[in-house]
Amino acid sequence: MKSISLDITKAAQFLSEGAVKAYEPQVKAAQEALENGTCPGNDFLGWLHLPSSITPEFIAELQSVANTLREKCEVVVVAGIGGSYLGARAVIEALGNSFAWLVQDKKNPTVVFAGNNIGEDYLAELTTYLKNKKFGVINISKSGTTTETALTFRLLKKQCEDQRGKEEAKDVIVAITDAHKGAARAAATKEGYKTFVIPDNVGGRFSVLTPVGLLPIAVAGFDITALVNGAADMEKATGKDVPFDENPAAIYAAVRNALYAEAGKKIEILVNYQPKLHFMSEWWKQLYGESEGKDGKGIFPASCDFTTDLHSMGQWIQEGERSIFETVISIEAPEKKVLFPHDDENLDGLNFLEGKRVDEVNKMAELGTRLAHVDGGVPNIRLSVPQLNEYYLGQVIYFFEIACGISGNILGVNPFNQPGVEAYKKNMFALLNKPGYEAESEAIQKRLADEK
Ligand code: PA5
C-alpha cells in the first residue's frame, strides 16, 4: 500500500540551512510529552492511539446503526457544529459526487448538515425541504448544550415526530454525546434514542475517528473500516520511534514552526486543486486555528480552492504582503477520466490539448503556480495523496492531527483547549437574558448604553 508523502524542499529554501532539522530535539520532546501524557492538555489525548484501538466489533455496531438509518431514511440530517460536524462533512464531500444534491441516488440517503449556524432562512429552508420526507437525525454535541445544535435539534425532533410519529421517530434519531451529562444525553435517555459516547479524553476537533465522524460517513455509504485502517497506518508511520527524517508529521510540524518563528510567515494557506476538498480545508482550519491560536500566538490558518481562487486571491498571494506560506494537498490520480475532444474549427484554440486528460492540465496549473508563487516569495509545502479514497483520507486526517499536537507543543501552547470560544457565548447569553446570566446582562446593557 502506498502512503501520503511530504515535500518541503520548496519551503526549506526560504530558511537557513539546517533550520528544519534544528527542530528535531523539540519535536522529540513534544512526541515524548504526548506519549507520556506530560504535556499541557494531557486529559485530551484520547485521539493519539484512537485509530489502532478501534475494534472490528465497534465498527460493526456503527455500521448496523448506519444501516438502519440508510434503510429508513431518504434524508439524514447531521446536527452539530465545529468538531461535531466538520470532519464528517470533509470526508463525505471529498468522496461523494460533486452534484450529490442534484443526483437522484437511490442507493444512499442524502446527508445534509445543520446545527452549525443560527441562520433563520437556513432553518426555514431546511424544514421546508424536509416536509413530507422520511428523514432521520444524528444529533452530535459533546457538551450537549451548544446553542446552534440544540436549537436546530429542537426543531428537527418536533418535525420528525410530527411526520413519522413518536415511536418511529425514536428509531431514526441517534445521539452522539457525553456519557452522562448535557441536554442531548438527557433527551436521548428520556426518549430512548440509540446513543454513542464521545470519549471524555477526545476533544471535538480531534473526534472525526469517533462515532462523531464515523457514523455520518457510514450513513453516506463510505467504507469506515478503510478510513480507520488508513489512520492506523499513519499512526504507525508517525510514531515517536520513527526517525525524524522519515516522519512526515514531525517534519511538517518543524517546518511550519520554522517558517513562523524564523521567516515571519504568520499565515498558512491550505490549498487544494480539487473542489471536493473544500471542507477538508474547513476541518483543517478548525484543527489548527483552535489548537494553536492562543496566548497571543499561532499561525493563522487560511485556505484556497485552486484554480478557482487563483482568479480571486491569486493576486494577493503572488504580490501581497510576504507573510504567507502554502501547503498544497495534491491528489496524484483522479478517480474518473475526461479527455479533451477534437474540434475541427478550433475556435477556442484548444486543439493542442486534444486527447489529453483534464487532470494533466490541472497538474500543469499546480506546477506553474508553485513555480510562480515560490518566485514571488511564498514557501511551498506539498502533501501528495495517491488517490481520493477512504484509506488515504484516513492517513491525511491522522497526519494533520498528530502534526497539530506536535506543532502546538513546540509553539508552547495547550493545543487541546479553546478558552477563547466562550467569550462570544457569554455575551450572547447575557444579551438574550438567559437565566443565570443576570449580572452579565446588566453589565452588557450598561456598556452598550455607554457606547451610544
Ligand atoms: O473542537 C471543539 O471542541 C469545538 O469546536 C466543538 O466541537 C464545538 O464547539 C461543538 O461543541 P459540542 O460538541 O460540545 O456541541
Side-chain angles (χ1 to χ4, degrees), residues 160-444:
C160 189
E161 288 174 352
D162 288 349
Q163 288 179 197
R164 306 187 79 150
K166 222 170 158 56
E167 266 314 295
E168 202 180 308
K170 215 170 73 177
D171 296 339
V172 292
I173 297 179
V174 179
I176 305 178
T177 186
D178 184 85
H180 308 289
K181 35 179 217 305
R185 169 60 56 185
T189 306
K190 179 174 174 291
E191 304 291 358
Y193 301 146
K194 171 75 193 162
T195 62
F196 287 99
V197 171
I198 308 176
D200 272 350
N201 60 358
V202 180
R205 58 190 173 275
F206 287 85
S207 70
V208 52
L209 298 170
T210 72
V212 169
L214 296 179
L215 183 65
I217 293 166
V219 167
F222 301 113
D223 182 350
I224 53 175
T225 300
L227 188 81
V228 169
N229 287 344
D233 283 351
M234 192 44 52
E235 186 187 321
K236 273 193 223 121
T238 57
K240 79 170 175 48
D241 296 328
V242 176
F244 176 80
D245 299 316
E246 293 165 27
N247 182 337
I251 293 171
Y252 178 57
V255 73
R256 60 196 301 284
N257 273 282
L259 288 166
Y260 178 67
E262 289 168 30
K265 304 297 180 188
K266 307 290 182 203
I267 301 167
E268 178 176 9
I269 307 176
L270 190 74
V271 166
N272 66 70
Y273 283 81
Q274 305 289 342
K276 288 177 171 201
L277 290 177
H278 177 84
F279 265 90
M280 207 65 215
S281 299
E282 297 304 310
W283 169 81
W284 171 88
K285 281 195 285 194
Q286 190 214 357
L287 182 64
Y288 280 79
E290 272 193 2
S291 299
E292 293 195 321
K294 53 198 66 160
D295 305 337
K297 300 192 245 187
I299 296 169
F300 182 83
S303 65
C304 280
D305 299 328
F306 285 172
T307 62
T308 311
D309 293 335
L310 287 173
H311 297 257
S312 60
M313 298 304 291
Q315 173 59 39
W316 200 105
I317 295 169
Q318 189 68 46
E319 295 181 351
E321 193 185 48
R322 301 298 73 190
S323 52
I324 55 174
F325 66 98
E326 286 178 329
T327 297
V328 177
I329 301 184
S330 179
I331 308 296
E332 286 167 28
E335 296 301 302
K336 304 187 175 101
K337 193 170 186 178
V338 178
L339 297 176
F340 281 99
H342 174 78
D343 186 316
D344 278 345
E345 295 191 58
N346 195 26
L347 292 177
D348 52 16
L350 289 178
N351 270 355
F352 74 102
L353 295 175
E354 185 186 332
K356 287 194 195 302
R357 291 183 69 166
V358 171
D359 193 57
E360 200 175 326
V361 181
N362 205 20
K363 290 289 188 296
M364 291 310 110
E366 182 186 325
L367 181 55
T369 305
R370 186 178 84 191
L371 295 170
H373 286 182
V374 168
D375 286 349
V378 181
N380 181 287
I381 300 168
R382 185 166 184 265
L383 184 69
S384 193
V385 180
Q387 260 177 285
L388 206 42
N389 63 22
E390 288 91 335
Y391 177 76
Y392 292 117
L393 280 181
Q395 289 198 1
V396 170
I397 286 168
Y398 190 82
F399 162 78
F400 278 129
E401 286 183 351
I402 184 67
C404 184
I406 298 170
S407 184
N409 268 279
I410 295 174
L411 188 65
V413 298
N414 173 357
F416 309 118
N417 66 4
Q418 55 285 329
V421 180
E422 296 309 310
Y424 98 92
K425 291 187 195 166
K426 199 177 93 196
N427 289 341
M428 178 177 76
F429 293 147
L431 288 162
L432 288 167
N433 296 315
K434 183 173 175 176
Y437 284 78
E438 290 76 12
E440 287 87 351
S441 292
E442 204 177 304
I444 211 163

Side-chain angles (χ1 to χ4, degrees), residues 57-132:
E57 292 72 28
F58 189 57
I59 296 272
E61 187 190 345
L62 282 163
Q63 194 61 59
S64 142
V65 175
N67 290 346
T68 304
L69 290 170
R70 287 169 60 79
E71 278 156 26
K72 298 191 172 182
C73 304
E74 299 165 69
V75 180
V76 174
V77 185
V78 178
I81 193 167
S84 288
Y85 96 105
L86 282 165
R89 187 161 191 178
V91 173
I92 290 171
E93 296 210 356
L95 298 177
N97 189 306
S98 304
F99 302 93
W101 75 97
L102 296 173
V103 177
Q104 288 299 316
D105 173 5
K106 298 283 179 234
K107 280 204 318 273
N108 299 300
T110 303
V111 176
V112 295
F113 294 89
N116 55 61
N117 64 67
I118 322 178
E120 189 162 347
D121 289 345
Y122 188 91
L123 285 170
E125 286 156 14
L126 174 67
T127 48
T128 303
Y129 165 71
L130 294 173
K131 214 166 261 172
N132 302 323

